[in-house]
Amino acid sequence: MTGARRAVRNFVGADGVVLAADVWGEASWPAVVLLHGGGQTRHAWSRTGARLAALGWQVIAPDLRGHGDSGWSADGGYDLGLYADDVRALLDSLDSFGARPVLVGASLGGLSALLAAGEAPEAAVRALVLVDVAHRPDSRGFHRIAEFMRGAPEGFASVAEAVAATRAYLPQRSRPADSAGMQNNLRRRGDRWVWHWDPRMLDSFEGRMDPPGMAERLLSAGRRAAVPILLVRGQVSDVVPEDIAEEFCDLVPGARRVDVAGAGHMVAGDRNDPFLAAIVPFLEGIALLNSGPGEGGEGKRCGGA
């Protein structure tokens, strides 16, 4: 299949907040929901969404609340459970044939997907793809993200200045031909360019590193979800090192893992083609399943061969 057009559609989140989303493909196709990481927008999935639609998937990529073109929380609250509720609300409104989508979530999006699928009321999903996120992060990598997001509180004098800051933060990423895409991540405020997110979100973000009980809560959600799980780790990630990825897969039965060479925490943005090569066999295996969860897809079983 080729040439699936992108459309913009609004969904309604848990408390009525509007979630703007890019949608590719037909409602009769099996669905994949792409959930970006904290500080990103739905545009982080632009190449991934188009490619998956060309393979016959309906793709829905929303801006999470407080990000991009989606609404902000009226009270400034951005609890992880609220993001999970947004995922549930979005799934409830999908009109895709056969309903149960695959959730692909990066970082914050992955945590939201895991809780939505594994905590009551469990969202009906076919599988989970967790992109460089597990039950706990490495504190050094997490603090590096927080420092970047806290940087430049007064914004930037130009888009080029924002591009330079991002390149310094992501030295492993190849440089784009131009900086036009960066404007998707910025807003105008007077004569300055500021990041697109609600700055109040950062207070919740920094409290999410590894609070007491959170690792156990996420592991419990992974077990309760009872669906195939693929953990896609950036090989040079400083947020999910190999030992944490192995620990997650050892403790969540049936989870599989694949590493993307040369990618850091933002796997799809760093190495989109290898990222797709990592997830497409898994998605194809899920699409072929006619029975209960627990099989399907590629990737090595963690803690094993």
Side-chain angles (χ1 to χ4, degrees), residues 140-191:
R140 293 165 295 182
F142 189 93
H143 285 306
R144 189 176 71 88
I145 296 172
E147 288 174 4
F148 174 73
M149 293 179 71
R150 286 285 187 193
E154 301 304 317
F156 304 96
S158 66
V159 174
E161 189 176 306
V163 169
T166 303
R167 285 175 177 168
Y169 170 63
L170 300 170
Q172 77 278 6
R173 184 173 295 187
S174 59
R175 296 190 175 190
D178 59 64
S179 60
M182 179 59 72
Q183 292 193 37
N184 291 322
N185 297 321
L186 298 166
R187 301 176 186 270
R188 289 289 287 181
R189 188 174 68 192
D191 61 352

Side-chain angles (χ1 to χ4, degrees), residues 180-249:
M182 179 59 72
Q183 292 193 37
N184 291 322
N185 297 321
L186 298 166
R187 301 176 186 270
R188 289 289 287 181
R189 188 174 68 192
D191 61 352
R192 307 287 289 178
W193 291 91
V194 298
W195 295 120
H196 57 83
W197 60 70
D198 182 349
R200 299 173 300 174
M201 180 192 67
L202 292 178
D203 294 331
S204 297
F205 177 81
E206 291 183 318
R208 197 176 295 136
M209 186 186 78
D210 195 13
M214 180 56 75
E216 291 77 12
R217 179 183 175 187
L218 291 166
L219 287 170
S220 177
R223 297 186 192 105
R224 285 175 56 90
V227 296
I229 297 176
L230 179 66
L231 194 164
V232 182
R233 174 181 167 268
Q235 190 179 47
V236 296
S237 171
D238 60 356
V239 176
V240 183
E242 189 167 5
D243 63 323
I244 291 178
E246 284 293 314
E247 184 177 76
F248 177 84
C249 292

Side-chain angles (χ1 to χ4, degrees), residues 260-293:
V260 175
H265 181 55
M266 297 183 182
V267 183
D270 289 349
R271 298 288 186 270
N272 193 66
D273 287 344
F275 170 70
L276 283 163
I279 69 168
V280 165
F282 179 77
L283 294 177
E284 290 175 342
I286 296 303
L288 292 173
L289 284 178
N290 295 313
S291 57

Side-chain angles (χ1 to χ4, degrees), residues 1-2 4 9-10 28 36 54 71 87 114 125 127 131 144-145 160 166 197 202 226 231 246 255 259 284 296:
M1 299 183 185
T2 60
R9 178 175 169 182
N10 287 335
S28 59
H36 64 74
V87 174
L114 190 57
V125 303
V131 185
R144 189 176 71 88
I145 296 172
T166 303
W197 60 70
L202 292 178
L231 194 164
E246 284 293 314
D259 291 355
E284 290 175 342

